[in-house]
Amino acid sequence: MKRPTLNIITLGCSKNKVDSEHLAALLQHRYVIRHDSERKSDAVIINTCGFIGDAQEESVDTILEYAELRKQGKIKKLYVTGCLSQRFRKELQAEIHEVDAFYGVESVNLIAADLLKEEVQPEYCSHRVLSTPKHYAYLKISEGCNRRCAFCAIPLIRGSHVSVPMADLLDEAKELAKQGVKELILIAQDLTYYGHDIDGQSHIVELVKALCDIDGFEWIRLHYGYPLGFPDELLDLMRENPKICHYIDLPLQHISTHILKAMRRGVDREQTIGFVENVRRHVPDIAFRTTFIVGFPGETEEDFEELCQFVRDIRFERVGVFAFSPEEGTAAYDMPDDVPDEVKQARVDKLMAIQQDISLEINAQRVGKTEKVLIDRLEGDYYVGRSQYDSPEVDDEILIPASKDLQIGQFYQVKITQADYFDCYGEA
């Protein structure tokens, strides 16, 4: 009997991506699984994002698009899950009747049971059907967050911090290694809080050491941390173990003590600068990726200029900038949104222009050097790869002329020949 097709469309962050891959693993014996934007299939699951306004709008638009296809009979079943559905399920149910069922964020087993029409045991599933290229994968080590930053809705959506037991994570990682994954990217709302909910202590160093011992992984990358409580031992391990990429993704959000206090970040300007300096002292060649929010309630021109000068002085390798959007249920939602939207966008543009010049200067320093590069894909006349300093989808890429045959998912030594603002060119 021919299996029906199921398309899982994942919006938002890599944590959602992992949820979709676990769900796919539970359903793959009954369905032919797709992870793409195919418009015709027997069933569609949309895993939504509800983090900020733009992401919510994209999720709603996607639901409406597939609701219309459901109405036209081009798909037979439509399900919605994820963060937007968790936050606004009643509103969505009232407005969009073509959706067969709405689920929240902790519903992988529940969705699987509904689609399979059989009981699905709630124990942890270590299997995944990857939506990424087969040579890299994300490993979500915890769910939720105990920090209560004024702008962030994650604790409202995902709840308090809950660590995945280490034994389960190691089983999942071994399974990924067997599938051919060479780059493992650790993700959580706060990596360094891993284990605190179990015995009050961080166990992130212990976990990373154990992951390094698994055969198959050549790169282990760390995503998302917090400036307070980041262990020096983890930085030392990064410097000493060649498997761990010299890379960190850690949102700082701002530098003005006045704004950091309003954001309820628990750190001030001096602590933030001290943290960045400490990271670079331990791992001198580290690529530091961070994000900032501009236009937060009360942000003055002086606050913003202080942030601009901070970015000029520190010279981060990678920077993302977001305009503040008030999220219902957060502390900042009740603050006066006193920075006009056009001013917010102008500040985003200015800060990114500053970073663009810094990025070009940093990339220019790479010209003539040889770097280990992982090939992600072939695109037109170029192979597209990344160094240890770049995470997939968000960071710089290295373009290599397709004059030689290279293998997707393999590592090569590449000499950097040319630099651009956010990319480099090289020769294998």
Side-chain angles (χ1 to χ4, degrees), residues 135-321:
H135 55 275
Y136 71 80
Y138 298 93
L139 183 70
K140 184 165 70 169
I141 69 170
S142 64
E143 187 62 272
C145 185
N146 281 10
R147 306 196 187 274
R148 295 296 185 265
C149 300
F151 52 83
C152 184
I154 292 296
L156 302 175
I157 301 170
R158 296 273 177 175
S160 298
H161 177 98
V162 178
S163 302
V164 178
M166 193 175 300
D168 290 338
L169 289 174
L170 295 178
D171 285 344
E172 184 174 344
K174 290 171 185 175
E175 182 77 20
L176 292 170
K178 287 179 183 177
Q179 292 182 40
V181 170
K182 295 182 173 66
E183 178 184 9
L184 190 69
I185 306 168
L186 271 62
I187 53 172
Q189 205 61 32
D190 181 358
L191 283 179
T192 57
Y193 208 76
Y194 178 76
H196 270 277
D197 55 308
I198 298 173
D199 63 4
Q201 300 180 45
S202 173
H203 289 272
I204 185 62
V205 174
E206 180 186 350
L207 173 62
V208 173
K209 284 181 178 178
L211 291 170
C212 287
D213 290 337
I214 295 175
D215 291 335
F217 301 134
E218 290 197 40
W219 281 354
I220 293 176
R221 189 180 300 277
L222 307 181
H223 265 233
Y224 314 127
Y226 195 83
L228 281 181
F230 198 98
D232 285 353
E233 190 181 353
L234 183 56
L235 296 171
D236 292 335
L237 184 64
M238 182 183 294
R239 184 184 66 247
E240 295 162 3
N241 193 308
K243 280 192 175 184
I244 307 173
C245 294
H246 289 191
Y247 176 98
I248 187 173
D249 187 333
L250 196 149
L252 295 176
Q253 310 301 8
H254 216 282
I255 191 56
S256 163
T257 294
H258 158 61
I259 296 299
L260 289 169
K261 184 176 181 180
M263 286 180 168
R264 301 185 181 180
R265 290 289 286 167
V267 294
D268 58 20
R269 173 187 172 88
E270 286 69 30
Q271 288 171 307
T272 302
I273 293 174
F275 168 72
V276 176
E277 290 175 343
N278 184 56
V279 169
R280 286 182 166 168
R281 187 163 51 248
H282 280 79
V283 190
D285 69 327
I286 197 166
F288 198 126
R289 177 177 180 80
T290 191
T291 53
F292 297 107
I293 297 173
V294 297
F296 190 81
E299 185 189 57
T300 63
E301 281 296 331
E302 291 75 17
D303 293 323
F304 176 65
E305 286 304 322
E306 183 179 352
L307 177 58
C308 290
Q309 192 58 48
F310 173 65
V311 171
R312 291 188 192 100
D313 293 342
I314 297 295
R315 296 173 60 81
F316 293 100
E317 287 73 19
R318 315 280 181 257
V319 167
V321 184

Side-chain angles (χ1 to χ4, degrees), residues 62 120 148 262 306 374:
T62 304
V120 176
R148 295 296 185 265
E306 183 179 352
L374 178 59

